[in-house]
């Protein structure tokens, strides 16, 4: 009856060269890939009656054909960094006569602002809202606001329709077992999305979703076989449920990634079950190496810096790569935090170290605190992307925070760091009797990739990395080797201009100040100038 378009606006394409994709993969495969599709869109596809035509559009992997889509109703989801792009997309479809709905966490927090740019606003979790929106649209009577609080609470999960998207252009399938998080970190906006109530889905439903997605997956043993990413905020809230879930997943023949609190790794029984069920990477919100910053952010008491070493080692000895999220810019952070973090993370041997800038997202306790103190100087939402400084730090300048962040990102993506952590990971893996070194075919593939010459695919640094891995007798896990290469490429796009250690930058600015020259911070644009 109607053509319904779901749009996931680009998060990176309009902010970074290349966006959140890899030119390396595009060169090899001939098409654009992204990490994973939006679970919201797949759920909405499942909820939409067959009488409608549902089209999933992801701007990370494709251009929007505003005329060719001939949309009747357009649903757009957006976080703050995507909101301006969402407004533009809505306006373009509106010019062509389509009705538009915007939802997501930004709409849930700033619904009045969002309402100025669309016909209807979805506030809160969407499963119980979407059917009502469709019904009103069919009647020609869309309301301005659809608030989840006006509908029954979400108690049952909807099985996603994986084939609604171009699933062959993603690295992973999204999967969800639980929703919500009981903690209240001051920088987190989860209360406006998943909420604090912890909902556990029946384990058999989770397994059912995996089996359904497996019908679309590549055969076992293929390099382009997809893994699964649990989008759950915290997989380790209810221990008995977690054990039951991982036990049920054993034997499915899949690989998966997820996240949880650091005390997950202290539970030997659970970690063993994770490994048997196919977990290859599990990430924690370490957030900071400063106890003062952890206290400031209201992190759970299980975050103890002195325990981080055991957390990482216990995971990796079972063949699970430890990932760590670190935030730069807390009030307890000084200009030396970047170098100290690099040294500490290197000692831990964290294979996947993800860093971000402290960002006062609207609706968070952090935003209220910084706004009341007059410390937020940026209001352009696309800059609330976790890699742009939008506030005035306490113990360093905005320029020092921005430059230090980029410098640290560059170090973490450097071949030296990757080799160091990969060597440690392989040493830890050697303790796992089920872990095997690369076979001859895998090593030949790495050598082949290193010798490929098409569209300037690899620079010398990346080719040397591939040769190093191919000839390293300890080398294990092909997927991690290739992921490290791609991650290095994407991070390099963000930090390629940065050459200064932030501590050296402070000395440079001090010398400039002595000569009457101001530092390079451009507060108006919210972006610190890169020292050249």
């Amino acid at each position: 009856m109607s053509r319904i378009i779901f749009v996931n606006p680009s998060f990176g394409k309009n902010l970074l060269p290349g966006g959140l994709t890899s030119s390396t993969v595009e060169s090899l495969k001939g098409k654009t890939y992204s990490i994973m599709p939006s679970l919201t869109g797949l759920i909405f596809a499942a909820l939409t009656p067959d009488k409608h035509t549902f089209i999933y559009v992801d701007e990370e992997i494709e251009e929007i054909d505003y005329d060719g889509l001939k949309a009747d109703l357009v649903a757009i989801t957006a976080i703050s960094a995507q909101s301006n792009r969402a407004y533009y997309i809505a306006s373009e479809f509106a010019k062509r006569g389509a009705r538009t709905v915007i939802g997501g966490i930004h709409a849930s927090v700033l619904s009045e602002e969002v309402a100025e740019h669309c016909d209807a606003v979805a506030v809160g979790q969407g499963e119980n809202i979407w059917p009502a929106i469709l019904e009103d649209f069919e009647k020609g009577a869309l309301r301005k606001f659809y608030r989840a609080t006006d509908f029954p609470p979400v108690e049952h999960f909807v099985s996603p329709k994986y084939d609604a998207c171009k699933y062959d252009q993603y690295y992973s399938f999204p999967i969800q077992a639980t929703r919500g998080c009981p903690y209240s970190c001051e920088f987190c906006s989860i209360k406006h999305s998943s909420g604090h109530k912890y909902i556990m889905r029946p384990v058999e439903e989770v397994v059912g979703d995996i089996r359904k997605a497996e019908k679309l997956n590549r055969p076992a043993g293929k390099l382009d076989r997809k893994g699964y990413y649990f989008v759950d905020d915290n997989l380790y809230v209810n221990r008995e449920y977690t054990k039951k879930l991982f036990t049920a997943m054993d034997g499915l023949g899949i690989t998966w990634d997820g996240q949880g609190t650091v005390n997950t790794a202290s539970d030997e029984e659970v970690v063993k079950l994770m490994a048997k069920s196919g977990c290859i990477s599990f990430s924690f919100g370490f957030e900071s190496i400063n106890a003062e910053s952890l206290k400031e952010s209201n992190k759970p008491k299980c975050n103890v810096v002195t325990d981080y070493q055991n957390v990482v080692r216990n995971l990796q000895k079972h063949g699970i790569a430890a990932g760590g999220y670190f935030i730069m810019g807390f009030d307890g952070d000084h200009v030396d935090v970047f170098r100290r973090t690099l040294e500490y993370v290197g000692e831990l041997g964290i294979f996947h170290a993800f860093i971000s800038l402290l960002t006062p997202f609207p609706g968070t306790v952090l935003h209220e605190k910084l706004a009341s103190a007059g410390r937020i100087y940026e209001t352009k939402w696309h800059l609330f992307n976790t890699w742009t400084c939008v506030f005035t730090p306490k113990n360093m300048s905005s320029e020092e925070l921005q430059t230090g962040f980029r410098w640290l990102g560059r170090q973490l993506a450097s071949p030296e760091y990757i080799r160091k952590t990969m060597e440690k990971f392989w040493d830890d893996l050697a303790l796992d009797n089920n872990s095997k070194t690369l076979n001859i075919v895998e090593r030949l593939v790495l050598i082949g990739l290193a010798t490929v010459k098409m569209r300037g695919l690899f620079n010398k640094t990346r080719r040397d990395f591939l040769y190093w891995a191919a000839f390293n007798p300890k080398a294990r896990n092909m997927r991690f080797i290739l992921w490290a290469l791609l991650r290095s490429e994407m991070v390099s796009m963000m930090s390629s201009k940065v050459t200064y250690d932030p501590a050296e930058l402070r000395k440079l600015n001090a010398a400039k100040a002595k000569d009457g020259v101001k530092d390079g911070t451009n507060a108006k644009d919210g972006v610190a100038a890169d020292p050249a």
Side-chain angles (χ1 to χ4, degrees):
M1 179 184 293
S2 297
R3 290 176 64 82
I4 298 172
I5 315 300
F6 176 90
V7 181
N8 178 45
S10 175
F11 181 73
K13 183 184 297 183
N14 303 291
L15 302 173
L16 291 171
L20 297 179
T21 61
S22 167
S23 60
T24 297
V25 173
E26 189 171 353
S27 296
L28 287 171
K29 305 288 288 188
K31 53 187 175 183
T32 304
Y33 275 64
S34 191
I35 299 171
M36 63 181 171
S38 164
L39 187 61
T40 300
L42 305 183
I43 290 174
F44 280 14
L47 288 169
T48 301
D50 291 339
K51 63 182 179 181
H52 299 297
T53 298
F54 186 97
I55 301 174
Y56 180 105
V57 178
D58 187 347
E59 209 182 8
E60 294 292 357
I61 63 172
E62 59 192 314
E63 300 295 329
I64 301 175
D65 184 358
Y66 294 101
D67 294 317
L69 285 170
K70 302 185 183 305
D72 295 307
L73 176 66
V74 179
I76 307 169
T77 184
I79 59 175
S80 293
Q82 295 171 303
S83 59
N84 291 336
R85 184 64 183 169
Y87 300 158
Y88 172 80
I89 293 170
S91 69
E92 287 298 309
F93 277 113
K95 289 177 185 177
R96 293 160 174 81
R99 305 303 300 275
T100 58
V101 182
I102 297 179
I105 194 165
H106 192 76
S108 297
V109 177
L110 299 173
S111 56
E112 295 293 339
E113 174 196 295
V114 174
E116 298 176 8
H117 303 276
C118 58
D119 296 305
V121 182
V123 181
Q125 298 180 45
E127 287 98 325
N128 291 350
I129 295 177
W130 183 241
I133 291 175
L134 289 178
E135 183 178 342
D136 288 350
F137 168 71
E138 291 173 10
K139 296 176 181 177
L142 273 180
R143 287 175 271 164
K144 195 63 178 179
F145 297 99
Y146 291 83
R147 303 183 187 277
T149 52
D150 297 332
F151 296 84
V154 175
E155 299 288 352
H156 303 287
F157 291 49
V158 176
S159 179
K161 185 174 172 50
Y162 288 109
D163 59 359
C165 67
K166 297 177 180 178
Y167 55 85
D168 61 335
Q169 289 181 243
Y170 296 96
Y171 300 121
S172 302
F173 289 115
I175 195 82
Q176 187 172 41
T178 67
R179 185 177 298 173
C181 181
Y183 303 114
S184 301
C185 303
E186 74 164 16
F187 53 79
C188 185
S189 55
I190 195 172
K191 65 181 179 181
H192 301 291
S193 56
S194 303
H196 291 306
K197 181 180 178 180
Y198 197 66
I199 306 173
M200 294 168 285
R201 192 178 182 194
V203 166
E204 56 271 19
E205 290 186 9
V206 182
V207 172
D209 279 356
I210 294 173
R211 293 190 187 282
K212 182 169 66 173
E214 277 296 277
K215 294 178 181 178
L216 307 174
N217 208 351
R218 300 289 186 182
K222 295 288 185 180
L223 279 178
D224 56 353
R225 176 172 166 77
K226 301 184 195 308
Y228 291 80
Y229 191 93
F230 276 93
V231 298
D232 304 49
D233 301 298
N234 186 351
L235 273 172
Y236 189 74
V237 172
N238 184 304
R239 183 175 185 271
E240 292 307 311
Y241 175 84
T242 301
K243 287 168 55 181
K244 184 178 179 181
L245 173 65
F246 296 161
T247 300
M249 290 168 58
D250 185 9
L252 292 178
I254 65 168
T255 59
W256 63 271
D257 304 65
Q259 60 187 3
T261 44
V262 296
N263 54 337
T264 310
S266 301
D267 192 326
E268 186 71 16
E269 181 182 6
V270 167
V271 172
K272 288 181 178 179
L273 290 173
M274 288 169 62
K276 290 183 66 179
S277 67
C279 181
I280 57 173
S281 178
F282 201 80
S283 300
F284 307 100
F286 291 123
E287 316 305 5
S288 178
I289 62 172
N290 293 329
E292 179 184 347
S293 296
L294 293 174
K295 183 177 180 180
E296 171 194 339
S297 62
N298 197 35
K299 284 296 293 183
K301 292 182 179 179
C302 60
N303 274 54
V304 180
V305 176
T306 53
D307 290 345
Y308 289 175
Q309 182 71 65
N310 291 332
V311 169
V312 173
R313 186 167 181 78
N314 199 43
L315 271 192
Q316 298 196 160
K317 76 178 183 181
H318 288 289
I320 303 172
Y325 295 100
F326 293 88
I327 299 174
M328 305 290 113
F330 289 112
D331 282 355
D333 289 345
H334 294 260
V335 73
D336 65 343
V337 68
F338 310 104
R339 181 167 292 281
R340 289 175 54 228
T341 299
L342 176 65
E343 293 172 351
Y344 189 73
V345 170
E347 291 173 5
L348 292 180
I350 294 179
F351 186 72
H352 299 305
F354 306 100
I355 61 170
S356 62
L357 283 174
L358 186 66
T359 303
F361 293 112
T364 62
V365 173
L366 177 66
H367 188 279
E368 295 175 6
K369 183 176 77 172
L370 295 182
S372 64
R375 293 173 59 186
I376 301 177
Y377 58 72
E378 186 52 72
T379 57
K380 299 183 181 71
W381 294 126
H382 70 281
L383 296 176
F384 282 65
N385 50 39
T386 74
W387 63 76
T388 302
C389 183
V390 298
F391 73 102
T392 303
K394 183 178 180 180
N395 291 307
M396 65 183 95
S397 70
S398 298
E399 180 191 22
E400 288 169 336
L401 177 56
Q402 182 75 72
T403 305
F405 166 75
R406 292 180 180 175
W407 175 86
L408 178 58
R410 187 179 187 186
Q411 306 310 308
L412 293 174
S414 69
E416 294 78 17
Y417 177 83
I418 293 174
R419 290 184 187 189
K420 177 181 178 180
T421 54
M422 196 166 280
E423 286 268 13
K424 188 178 189 309
F425 181 48
W426 289 339
D427 288 340
D428 287 341
L429 272 177
L431 302 175
D432 177 11
N433 294 328
N434 295 319
S435 175
K436 306 298 182 183
T437 56
L438 296 183
N439 59 42
I440 187 63
V441 174
E442 292 171 322
R443 294 179 187 277
L444 288 174
V445 168
L446 292 177
I447 294 172
L449 288 174
T451 57
V452 168
K453 293 183 179 180
M454 52 186 294
R455 295 172 58 186
L457 185 59
F458 293 126
N459 59 25
K460 184 177 185 303
T461 299
R462 292 177 188 146
R463 290 198 301 272
D464 289 346
F465 173 79
L466 287 170
Y467 283 128
W468 167 80
F471 291 104
N472 192 308
K474 297 189 295 184
R476 289 169 165 81
N477 201 311
M478 183 75 155
R479 178 177 174 177
F480 286 155
I481 294 171
L482 296 178
W483 170 242
L485 187 73
L486 299 180
R487 180 170 174 268
S488 175
E489 174 192 2
M490 289 187 281
V491 173
S492 294
M493 293 189 300
M494 299 173 58
S495 55
S496 58
K497 295 181 180 180
V498 179
T499 56
Y500 281 89
D501 176 309
E504 295 173 354
L505 176 64
R506 172 165 284 193
K507 293 177 182 178
L508 177 66
N509 281 336
K512 288 181 178 179
K514 189 175 181 180
D515 295 332
V517 180
K518 295 182 179 180
D519 70 23
T521 305
N522 186 344
K524 180 180 178 181
D525 295 331
V527 180
D530 289 324

